[in-house]
Short mmCIF file of all heavy atoms in Angstrom, two decimals:
data_model
loop_
_atom_site.label_atom_id
_atom_site.label_comp_id
_atom_site.label_asym_id
_atom_site.label_seq_id
_atom_site.Cartn_x
_atom_site.Cartn_y
_atom_site.Cartn_z
N VAL L 141 -12.00 17.77 12.30
CA VAL L 141 -10.88 18.71 12.17
C VAL L 141 -10.85 19.20 10.72
O VAL L 141 -10.74 18.40 9.78
CB VAL L 141 -9.54 18.05 12.53
CG1 VAL L 141 -8.39 19.01 12.26
CG2 VAL L 141 -9.54 17.64 14.00
N ILE L 142 -10.97 20.52 10.53
CA ILE L 142 -10.91 21.15 9.21
C ILE L 142 -9.98 22.35 9.29
O ILE L 142 -10.06 23.13 10.25
CB ILE L 142 -12.31 21.60 8.73
CG1 ILE L 142 -13.24 20.40 8.59
CG2 ILE L 142 -12.21 22.34 7.40
CD1 ILE L 142 -14.64 20.76 8.11
N ASN L 143 -9.13 22.50 8.31
CA ASN L 143 -8.18 23.63 8.29
C ASN L 143 -7.35 23.70 9.56
O ASN L 143 -7.13 24.76 10.13
CB ASN L 143 -8.93 24.96 8.09
CG ASN L 143 -9.51 25.10 6.71
OD1 ASN L 143 -9.03 24.49 5.77
ND2 ASN L 143 -10.56 25.90 6.58
N LYS L 144 -6.91 22.53 10.03
CA LYS L 144 -6.01 22.43 11.19
C LYS L 144 -6.69 22.82 12.50
O LYS L 144 -6.03 22.98 13.51
CB LYS L 144 -4.75 23.28 11.01
CG LYS L 144 -3.96 22.97 9.75
CD LYS L 144 -3.06 24.10 9.36
CE LYS L 144 -3.86 25.20 8.72
NZ LYS L 144 -3.02 26.30 8.24
N LYS L 145 -8.02 23.00 12.48
CA LYS L 145 -8.73 23.40 13.69
C LYS L 145 -9.91 22.47 13.92
O LYS L 145 -10.46 21.89 13.00
CB LYS L 145 -9.25 24.85 13.56
CG LYS L 145 -8.15 25.89 13.39
CD LYS L 145 -8.76 27.26 13.18
CE LYS L 145 -7.68 28.31 12.93
NZ LYS L 145 -8.27 29.64 12.62
N GLN L 146 -10.30 22.38 15.19
CA GLN L 146 -11.48 21.63 15.54
C GLN L 146 -12.71 22.38 15.07
O GLN L 146 -12.82 23.59 15.26
CB GLN L 146 -11.53 21.46 17.07
CG GLN L 146 -12.01 20.10 17.49
CD GLN L 146 -12.04 19.96 18.99
OE1 GLN L 146 -13.01 19.47 19.53
NE2 GLN L 146 -11.01 20.40 19.69
N LYS L 163 -10.62 19.62 3.09
CA LYS L 163 -10.45 18.27 3.64
C LYS L 163 -10.85 18.25 5.10
O LYS L 163 -10.46 19.12 5.88
CB LYS L 163 -8.99 17.83 3.49
CG LYS L 163 -8.56 17.71 2.03
CD LYS L 163 -7.10 17.37 1.90
CE LYS L 163 -6.69 17.27 0.42
NZ LYS L 163 -5.27 16.96 0.27
N LEU L 266 -4.95 14.92 19.77
CA LEU L 266 -4.94 15.90 18.69
C LEU L 266 -5.75 17.16 19.00
O LEU L 266 -5.26 18.26 18.76
CB LEU L 266 -5.41 15.25 17.38
CG LEU L 266 -5.31 16.15 16.15
CD1 LEU L 266 -3.89 16.65 15.94
CD2 LEU L 266 -5.79 15.42 14.90
N LEU L 269 -3.65 19.32 21.22
CA LEU L 269 -2.51 19.91 20.53
C LEU L 269 -2.94 21.04 19.60
O LEU L 269 -2.25 22.05 19.48
CB LEU L 269 -1.77 18.82 19.74
CG LEU L 269 -1.15 17.69 20.58
CD1 LEU L 269 -0.58 16.60 19.68
CD2 LEU L 269 -0.08 18.21 21.52
N LEU L 270 -4.08 20.88 18.95
CA LEU L 270 -4.58 21.95 18.07
C LEU L 270 -4.99 23.17 18.87
O LEU L 270 -4.81 24.31 18.43
CB LEU L 270 -5.74 21.43 17.22
CG LEU L 270 -5.38 20.35 16.18
CD1 LEU L 270 -6.63 19.82 15.49
CD2 LEU L 270 -4.40 20.89 15.16
N ASP L 271 -5.56 22.94 20.07
CA ASP L 271 -5.87 24.08 20.95
C ASP L 271 -4.59 24.79 21.38
O ASP L 271 -4.54 26.02 21.45
CB ASP L 271 -6.63 23.60 22.19
CG ASP L 271 -8.11 23.36 21.91
OD1 ASP L 271 -8.63 23.97 20.95
OD2 ASP L 271 -8.75 22.58 22.63
N ASP L 273 -1.86 24.97 19.66
CA ASP L 273 -1.40 25.73 18.49
C ASP L 273 -2.16 27.05 18.38
O ASP L 273 -1.58 28.10 18.07
CB ASP L 273 -1.62 24.88 17.24
CG ASP L 273 -0.85 25.41 16.03
OD1 ASP L 273 0.30 25.83 16.21
OD2 ASP L 273 -1.41 25.41 14.94
N LYS L 274 -3.46 27.01 18.65
CA LYS L 274 -4.29 28.22 18.57
C LYS L 274 -3.80 29.28 19.57
O LYS L 274 -3.67 30.45 19.23
CB LYS L 274 -5.75 27.85 18.86
CG LYS L 274 -6.69 29.05 18.90
CD LYS L 274 -8.12 28.61 19.21
CE LYS L 274 -8.26 28.13 20.64
NZ LYS L 274 -9.67 27.80 20.98
N ILE L 297 2.10 17.49 16.64
CA ILE L 297 0.88 17.46 15.84
C ILE L 297 1.05 16.53 14.63
O ILE L 297 0.18 15.69 14.35
CB ILE L 297 0.49 18.89 15.38
CG1 ILE L 297 0.03 19.73 16.59
CG2 ILE L 297 -0.63 18.83 14.35
CD1 ILE L 297 -0.24 21.18 16.26
N TYR L 301 -0.84 13.09 13.49
CA TYR L 301 -1.39 12.80 12.16
C TYR L 301 -0.92 11.42 11.70
O TYR L 301 -1.71 10.62 11.18
CB TYR L 301 -0.89 13.81 11.13
CG TYR L 301 -1.39 15.23 11.27
CD1 TYR L 301 -0.77 16.27 10.59
CD2 TYR L 301 -2.48 15.54 12.09
CE1 TYR L 301 -1.22 17.58 10.70
CE2 TYR L 301 -2.93 16.84 12.20
CZ TYR L 301 -2.29 17.86 11.51
OH TYR L 301 -2.71 19.14 11.62
N LEU L 310 -3.74 15.82 5.16
CA LEU L 310 -3.55 17.13 5.77
C LEU L 310 -2.42 17.88 5.07
O LEU L 310 -1.26 17.53 5.17
CB LEU L 310 -3.27 16.99 7.27
CG LEU L 310 -4.54 16.57 8.02
CD1 LEU L 310 -4.19 15.80 9.27
CD2 LEU L 310 -5.40 17.76 8.34
N ASP L 311 -2.81 18.91 4.34
CA ASP L 311 -1.84 19.64 3.53
C ASP L 311 -0.82 20.41 4.36
O ASP L 311 0.23 20.79 3.86
CB ASP L 311 -2.57 20.64 2.61
CG ASP L 311 -3.48 19.93 1.63
OD1 ASP L 311 -3.17 18.79 1.28
OD2 ASP L 311 -4.50 20.52 1.24
N ASP L 312 -1.13 20.65 5.63
CA ASP L 312 -0.25 21.52 6.41
C ASP L 312 0.88 20.76 7.11
O ASP L 312 1.67 21.37 7.81
CB ASP L 312 -1.06 22.28 7.47
CG ASP L 312 -1.63 21.37 8.53
OD1 ASP L 312 -2.17 20.32 8.19
OD2 ASP L 312 -1.55 21.73 9.72
N ALA L 313 0.95 19.43 6.94
CA ALA L 313 2.01 18.67 7.61
C ALA L 313 3.39 19.15 7.16
O ALA L 313 4.28 19.36 7.99
CB ALA L 313 1.86 17.17 7.33
N ARG L 315 4.15 22.07 5.93
CA ARG L 315 4.36 23.43 6.45
C ARG L 315 4.77 23.40 7.91
O ARG L 315 5.65 24.14 8.36
CB ARG L 315 3.09 24.26 6.28
CG ARG L 315 3.25 25.73 6.65
CD ARG L 315 1.92 26.43 6.65
NE ARG L 315 1.04 25.92 7.69
CZ ARG L 315 1.09 26.34 8.96
NH1 ARG L 315 1.98 27.25 9.32
NH2 ARG L 315 0.27 25.85 9.85
N LYS L 316 4.13 22.53 8.68
CA LYS L 316 4.44 22.45 10.11
C LYS L 316 5.87 21.96 10.34
O LYS L 316 6.57 22.44 11.23
CB LYS L 316 3.44 21.54 10.82
CG LYS L 316 2.07 22.19 11.03
CD LYS L 316 1.18 21.32 11.87
CE LYS L 316 -0.14 22.01 12.15
NZ LYS L 316 0.02 23.28 12.89
#
Side-chain angles (χ1 to χ4, degrees):
V141 174
I142 298 180
N143 290 335
K144 304 160 284 183
K145 298 176 183 176
Q146 219 180 135
K163 296 176 181 180
L266 185 57
L269 297 174
L270 293 175
D271 280 336
D273 195 40
K274 176 181 70 176
I297 291 175
Y301 292 165
L310 288 153
D311 297 331
D312 67 315
R315 186 188 66 84
K316 285 187 176 299

